Amino acid sequence: MTALRNFVNGQFTDATSGATSAVVDPSTGETYATAPVSGGADVDAALRAADAAFETWRDSTPAERSLALLRFADAIEARADDLVEAESRNTGKPVAMTRTDEVPPLADELRFFAGAARVLEGRSAGEYLADHTSVVRREPVGVCAQVTPWNYPMMMAVWKFAPALAAGNTVVLKPSDTTPVSTLLLAEIAADIFPPGVFNVICGDRDTGRALVGHDIPQMVSITGSVRAGIEVATAAAGKLKRVHLELGGKAPVVVFDDADIGRAAQQIVEAGYYNAGQDCTAATRVLAGPRIAAELTDAVAGLATAVKTAGPDQPDAYYGPLNNPAQLARVAGFVDRAPGHAEIRAGGQRVGDRGFFYAPTVVAGLRQDDEMIQEEVFGPVVTVQRFGSEDEAIGWANGVRYGLAASVWTRDHGRAMRAARRLDFGAVWINTHIPFVSEMPHGGFKHSGHGKDLSVYGFEDYTRIKHVMSYIGL
């Protein structure tokens, strides 16, 4: 049994109260570690450490911050095996896919923000008033409180702290209570790179998160999580006028027109729909199919789904692992169990095994626009298929949910693709592909999917504030 500890001011420490919670291996359902349940005193200590460290970190040069992030990227690659082991056991993700799909992007994202730290730009100086020169400065915001989810604990941690630290901020980050292991390992690596207090990690539950968000010290709160959590964070932050950065839920439509390559579309729907057990805000789980190809596409997706294997992290032929926790397993199963009479379950629809939290790759056809599975985020390995009648109907249905994170369009018609990309009310639109990310491009949504961007220079600038400096130059 491993006893995890908070990382505050460059050192590992227990929660003041001594309270702990169980960390469960979702592949087995067994407890293998304990994590601190941090209270108000622990949150206060971490934030005060970050506040003290900000006094010097904000004055570090872009070159110094860049070098630190580059060293961090190198260290992540050197500790790749340890990180993969920690992430796979804590989440149940396949080991091989975690090694190839997560570690290289983590290093790349750190190196991107290391470069961005040295090219942060403002508008040029100029004389907009006679005898006065104006300059725009971009400065760090201050101490940033950050909360990360359980679906990509390691990757989301990097998405949060890398731009914040690159801009000269300091960070107190709270991972999900079910997946703290890899984030604390990142903190261990960071201990040899960053000055004490620059990067802090505290574990805990929702009350810990509330104490972090509600504290006076943080000037910015950034969360990746559910809509419920985002609204709660935004409400708490509003009371103290804190800046908020919200990456929340998604319900990504996959709009497949009659002229699309059905085989390729079906293959990518299955790959992007079941990746990470569908526990991805951009997962390809809501298919809208053209009238002439709907039946063929549904058959193709269902056929491919039956060949997808879910199993433990060490199984070489597993495409995805378990759901994160028993509550999530019950939530996903509940959506399928409550399917209306007009729905048709074409694949899956049941739990796999009686050990761990595995759920079969599922395809549900015949659903209507106002059905629960269409309107609400399932966040599991469940792909739905609807048949639309026209381009306008397809776009209307695609936009007809409260989420606005990501979408994809499948067609050989360039004009139609461009029309759809313009009309779709989502922060990212892919054409004839679904789910790839690059460090240089922004990720973030509209509507109930939140606001603010991760990745890219847009995500970097979110962690800065703008100051106008005017100087009198007259005689």
Side-chain angles (χ1 to χ4, degrees), residues 218-254:
Q219 296 301 301
M220 179 174 177
V221 179
S222 176
I223 178 175
T224 296
S226 67
V227 173
R228 175 206 57 77
I231 291 173
E232 185 173 335
V233 165
T235 301
K240 297 185 178 180
L241 295 178
K242 298 180 188 293
R243 185 182 299 195
V244 293
H245 184 283
L246 306 174
E247 200 276 88
L248 309 177
K251 193 69 180 174
V254 183

Side-chain angles (χ1 to χ4, degrees), residues 71-360:
R71 290 178 58 202
F72 203 169
D74 292 343
I76 279 179
E77 290 177 332
R79 298 286 300 274
D81 289 345
D82 295 335
L83 286 164
V84 169
E85 180 183 1
E87 187 81 342
S88 293
R89 187 172 190 191
N90 200 184
T91 64
K93 297 178 184 180
V95 169
M97 295 180 71
T98 304
R99 179 176 289 108
T100 59
D101 295 1
E102 296 205 27
V103 174
L106 293 185
D108 183 72
E109 287 148 11
L110 284 163
R111 291 181 177 125
F112 171 82
F113 286 114
R118 304 188 71 162
V119 294
L120 187 60
E121 297 178 350
R123 294 188 177 182
S124 63
E127 288 67 49
Y128 303 97
L129 179 67
D131 297 330
H132 293 77
T133 296
S134 287
V135 178
V136 172
R137 293 176 50 89
R138 278 195 177 271
E139 301 179 339
V141 175
V143 176
C144 298
Q146 301 181 322
V147 180
T148 52
W150 45 253
N151 57 332
Y152 293 102
M154 185 166 64
M155 184 174 291
M156 293 298 100
V158 171
W159 282 25
K160 294 297 183 196
F161 71 71
L165 299 184
N169 303 286
T170 55
V171 165
V172 176
L173 187 151
K174 191 194 90 66
S176 168
D177 57 342
T178 64
T179 56
V181 180
S182 59
T183 306
L184 288 169
L185 183 51
L186 289 172
E188 177 186 315
I189 296 170
D192 294 328
I193 298 171
F194 297 99
V198 169
F199 178 49
N200 308 274
V201 176
I202 57 168
C203 301
D205 53 19
R206 289 182 180 179
D207 288 337
T208 309
R210 292 186 182 104
L212 180 62
V213 172
H215 199 284
D216 288 337
I217 287 179
Q219 296 301 301
M220 179 174 177
V221 179
S222 176
I223 178 175
T224 296
S226 67
V227 173
R228 175 206 57 77
I231 291 173
E232 185 173 335
V233 165
T235 301
K240 297 185 178 180
L241 295 178
K242 298 180 188 293
R243 185 182 299 195
V244 293
H245 184 283
L246 306 174
E247 200 276 88
L248 309 177
K251 193 69 180 174
V254 183
V255 184
V256 186
F257 288 98
D258 287 332
D259 64 339
D261 182 333
I262 296 175
R264 187 171 185 278
Q267 184 65 44
Q268 289 230 330
I269 288 166
V270 168
E271 291 176 0
Y274 300 126
Y275 188 80
N276 198 31
Q279 297 173 132
D280 189 309
C281 297
T282 61
T285 55
R286 184 165 61 107
V287 179
L288 306 176
R292 294 199 303 273
I293 55 94
E296 183 180 354
L297 180 62
T298 303
D299 290 344
V301 171
L304 290 170
T306 59
V308 173
K309 181 176 180 179
T310 177
D314 294 325
Q315 295 297 312
D317 57 345
Y319 185 68
Y320 68 86
L323 297 172
N324 180 259
N325 53 71
Q328 187 62 18
L329 175 62
R331 172 182 167 81
V332 172
F335 274 102
V336 178
D337 294 344
R338 293 190 301 273
H342 53 265
E344 181 184 4
I345 298 175
R346 297 291 303 275
Q350 73 282 333
R351 181 178 181 178
V352 176
D354 56 6
R355 188 168 183 261
F357 314 131
F358 298 93
Y359 199 81

